[in-house]
Amino acid sequence: MWIVQQAFAEVPVPPAEIDVQPPDGETLVNFPTIFSTQAAEFTESLVLLGYRVDLRISPASYTWVHGDGTTQTTDSPGRAWSKGVPMSEYISHEYEKTAKSLGVRVDVTWTADFRVDGGAWQPVDGTVAVTGPEEQLDVLEADPLLVADR
């Protein structure tokens, strides 16, 4: 149904904000920087040609723009750091050199299912890609320092 595809393309899908750890806009060279977002499924109801149409809109993939010319695409929104969770469970990136004011963001590709007047859910052909807002990130270099016990 092309009218449902068109409606899906016109639904205002909120851009996903990127969460970066370590926080406060700074990370280190050769240190895993962790990315996550809170993009979540939502439902939009509208009237098309006199029928109530429900759209169930879901994130399908996430493209993590690291700001250093690299990207990473996943089907996971990532997760915030938590003690005891192995690094393989995170969306992360290690920067190879220092940089100032890198623009990092997450772009989300959304899919949808629809139903007419409470009927069965059916897939909508096509996807909608939404570019997320940029966060500024500085990549710093730190010198290791050993400190004696007191």
Side-chain angles (χ1 to χ4, degrees):
M1 294 186 72
W2 67 268
I3 194 164
V4 175
Q5 288 174 313
Q6 183 177 351
F8 171 42
E10 294 175 3
V11 167
V13 179
E17 294 192 17
I18 193 167
D19 293 316
V20 182
Q21 290 178 299
D24 302 325
E26 294 181 342
T27 191
L28 296 173
V29 171
N30 299 320
F31 182 79
T33 302
I34 298 171
F35 301 101
S36 62
T37 189
Q38 299 297 318
E41 178 179 291
F42 67 98
T43 302
E44 184 78 21
S45 296
L46 39 108
V47 176
L48 296 174
L49 303 175
Y51 296 95
R52 189 186 92 224
V53 176
D54 298 318
L55 291 170
R56 184 173 55 197
I57 302 171
S58 305
S61 67
Y62 306 83
T63 300
W64 307 91
V65 178
H66 305 130
D68 63 355
T70 65
T71 62
Q72 176 181 17
T73 300
T74 68
D75 60 1
S76 167
R79 64 184 298 162
W81 183 86
S82 182
K83 185 176 181 177
V85 175
M87 279 307 295
S88 60
E89 297 291 317
Y90 298 104
I91 307 300
S92 68
H93 177 67
E94 290 188 17
Y95 292 91
E96 296 178 358
K97 60 184 179 182
T98 61
K100 283 288 203 185
S101 299
L102 296 179
V104 297
R105 69 175 196 268
V106 60
D107 301 337
V108 180
T109 299
W110 299 83
T111 60
D113 294 321
F114 77 99
R115 66 181 177 187
V116 178
D117 287 337
W121 289 102
Q122 303 173 57
V124 176
D125 289 335
T127 60
V128 170
V130 178
T131 300
E134 281 192 357
E135 293 275 329
Q136 297 300 303
L137 182 66
D138 293 337
V139 181
L140 309 173
E141 191 166 42
D143 292 323
L145 178 65
L146 297 176
V147 179
D149 287 339
R150 294 188 178 201

